[in-house]
Amino acid sequence: MSKGILIIIGGAEDKSGESVILKQAPQLMGRDGILTILTTATEHPREVGEDYFKVFKRLGVANIQVLNINTRDDADNAENCERLRSSACIFMTGGDQLRITSILGGSRAYHEIKSVYANGGIIMGTSAGASVMSSTMVVQGNDNEPARKCTLKMAPGLDLFSGVIIDQHFDQRGRFGRLLCGVAENPGIIGIGIDENTAIKLMPDNHFEVLGSNAVTIIDGQTIQSSNVSELAPNDILAITNVTVHTLPAGYGFNMNNRKVLRLKD
């Protein structure tokens, strides 16, 4: 079974200028494909849906549908599932990532999203829609704080991108400490912090490219020699040694298979 492409956006992406990130949709999906804007994350689906509808229409997407799955019943509705099944690209808006997982998790709609991706489709998500891509997602944590055991709360995500934790609005909200704590708790995973107006484009061969105007921070825990994370009281400061950190702007990428940075051709 083939895999599609994930476009994982750190939030606050450019909607009115060149829109380098959102322009990936028309570039990848072809002229006849259907783009579905999924507004489950937000409590203002009409306004958010209309906003993105106008943006993607301006960027040349011909076939756009806005789908508000707002309840578990909606997520098992046959018509809604058929609309997801027909999509070449599914775009998940920002909002609250727990709304996405608690409404979609284990539902027919969830399995349709997974099937679209597994069969070569494109899944895009911004902010909360980015966090849910991983198998374990960040739900809550303190911004602009040192790494402490209590700064990070996690929950199961949609499991489209395994072996990672994704954090968004990363540098702008000072989230390095909380992502570092997440990697310390499970050094086998890779922490990926995505800045605003920045995205990663994960290809079927499991490498990703950085898009946008800021940077992606990668925290690789495989090299950690020691940490005190298991011994911490909730407000204690994390001690960690020999962790590997990369900061990558556009023009760079990362191979998830061998954990190596890629310098892409201009």
Side-chain angles (χ1 to χ4, degrees), residues 67-127:
L67 182 58
N68 180 33
I69 294 179
N70 195 44
T71 66
R72 295 285 294 175
D73 286 341
D74 291 342
D76 284 321
N77 177 272
E79 181 180 348
N80 290 338
C81 292
E82 177 56 36
R83 293 174 72 183
L84 288 170
R85 189 180 306 121
S86 67
S87 305
C89 176
I90 298 170
F91 179 88
M92 295 185 287
T93 70
D96 181 349
Q97 50 264 48
L98 266 182
R99 277 185 57 84
I100 299 177
T101 56
S102 63
I103 292 171
L104 296 182
S107 68
R108 290 178 62 188
Y110 165 74
H111 291 293
E112 294 296 348
I113 293 168
K114 294 265 287 188
S115 180
V116 167
Y117 177 53
N119 288 290
I122 304 150
I123 310 294
M124 304 177 71
T126 184
S127 192

Side-chain angles (χ1 to χ4, degrees), residues 25-36 60-65 86-89:
Q27 290 175 349
L28 293 170
M29 62 186 282
R31 293 181 59 87
D32 299 326
I34 298 172
L35 186 149
T36 298
V61 181
N63 300 313
I64 308 170
Q65 57 185 358
S86 67
S87 305
C89 176

Side-chain angles (χ1 to χ4, degrees), residues 7-81:
I7 309 289
I8 307 174
I9 310 166
E13 69 281 355
D14 174 22
K15 300 182 184 69
S16 59
E18 292 187 11
S19 303
V20 170
I21 296 169
L22 297 181
K23 199 179 289 182
Q24 290 290 312
Q27 290 175 349
L28 293 170
M29 62 186 282
R31 293 181 59 87
D32 299 326
I34 298 172
L35 186 149
T36 298
I37 300 166
L38 186 60
T39 59
T40 302
T42 178
E43 295 182 353
H44 306 283
R46 179 176 295 180
E47 297 92 328
V48 172
E50 287 179 357
D51 186 20
Y52 277 108
F53 184 96
K54 292 175 183 176
V55 173
F56 283 116
K57 184 64 73 174
R58 178 181 68 83
L59 294 175
V61 181
N63 300 313
I64 308 170
Q65 57 185 358
V66 179
L67 182 58
N68 180 33
I69 294 179
N70 195 44
T71 66
R72 295 285 294 175
D73 286 341
D74 291 342
D76 284 321
N77 177 272
E79 181 180 348
N80 290 338
C81 292

Side-chain angles (χ1 to χ4, degrees), residues 9-262:
I9 310 166
E13 69 281 355
D14 174 22
K15 300 182 184 69
S16 59
E18 292 187 11
S19 303
V20 170
I21 296 169
L22 297 181
K23 199 179 289 182
Q24 290 290 312
Q27 290 175 349
L28 293 170
M29 62 186 282
R31 293 181 59 87
D32 299 326
I34 298 172
L35 186 149
T36 298
I37 300 166
L38 186 60
T39 59
T40 302
T42 178
E43 295 182 353
H44 306 283
R46 179 176 295 180
E47 297 92 328
V48 172
E50 287 179 357
D51 186 20
Y52 277 108
F53 184 96
K54 292 175 183 176
V55 173
F56 283 116
K57 184 64 73 174
R58 178 181 68 83
L59 294 175
V61 181
N63 300 313
I64 308 170
Q65 57 185 358
V66 179
L67 182 58
N68 180 33
I69 294 179
N70 195 44
T71 66
R72 295 285 294 175
D73 286 341
D74 291 342
D76 284 321
N77 177 272
E79 181 180 348
N80 290 338
C81 292
E82 177 56 36
R83 293 174 72 183
L84 288 170
R85 189 180 306 121
S86 67
S87 305
C89 176
I90 298 170
F91 179 88
M92 295 185 287
T93 70
D96 181 349
Q97 50 264 48
L98 266 182
R99 277 185 57 84
I100 299 177
T101 56
S102 63
I103 292 171
L104 296 182
S107 68
R108 290 178 62 188
Y110 165 74
H111 291 293
E112 294 296 348
I113 293 168
K114 294 265 287 188
S115 180
V116 167
Y117 177 53
N119 288 290
I122 304 150
I123 310 294
M124 304 177 71
T126 184
S127 192
S131 288
V132 297
M133 298 278 195
S134 55
S135 49
T136 302
M137 67 177 185
V138 176
V139 173
Q140 187 178 0
N142 295 341
D143 298 342
N144 297 302
E145 285 281 341
R148 305 174 192 266
K149 195 170 187 177
C150 70
T151 61
L152 191 66
K153 295 181 181 179
M154 294 187 285
L158 296 184
D159 195 26
L160 297 170
F161 188 6
S162 61
V164 300
I165 299 176
I166 297 165
D167 213 346
Q168 19 80 6
H169 300 281
F170 190 68
D171 185 63
Q172 290 74 19
R173 299 188 185 177
R175 290 178 167 174
F176 183 88
R178 75 183 202 177
L179 186 59
L180 184 65
C181 192
V183 174
E185 291 175 2
N186 186 353
I189 62 173
I190 292 176
I192 302 176
I194 307 175
D195 290 351
E196 293 178 354
N197 196 36
T198 307
I200 63 171
K201 178 180 179 181
L202 180 69
M203 305 301 289
D205 66 358
N206 217 30
H207 89 274
F208 65 75
E209 304 169 6
V210 179
L211 308 170
S213 62
N214 290 302
V216 170
T217 300
I218 297 169
I219 303 178
D220 186 351
Q222 235 180 16
T223 57
I224 291 173
Q225 288 183 331
S226 66
S227 81
N228 66 345
V229 69
S230 65
E231 304 153 21
L232 295 181
N235 288 302
D236 289 348
I237 298 293
L238 176 71
I240 191 167
T241 64
N242 214 47
V243 65
T244 300
V245 178
H246 309 288
T247 301
L248 307 177
Y252 286 82
F254 192 78
N255 186 328
M256 292 294 299
N257 295 323
N258 60 15
R259 301 184 178 225
K260 297 293 186 183
V261 172
L262 305 171

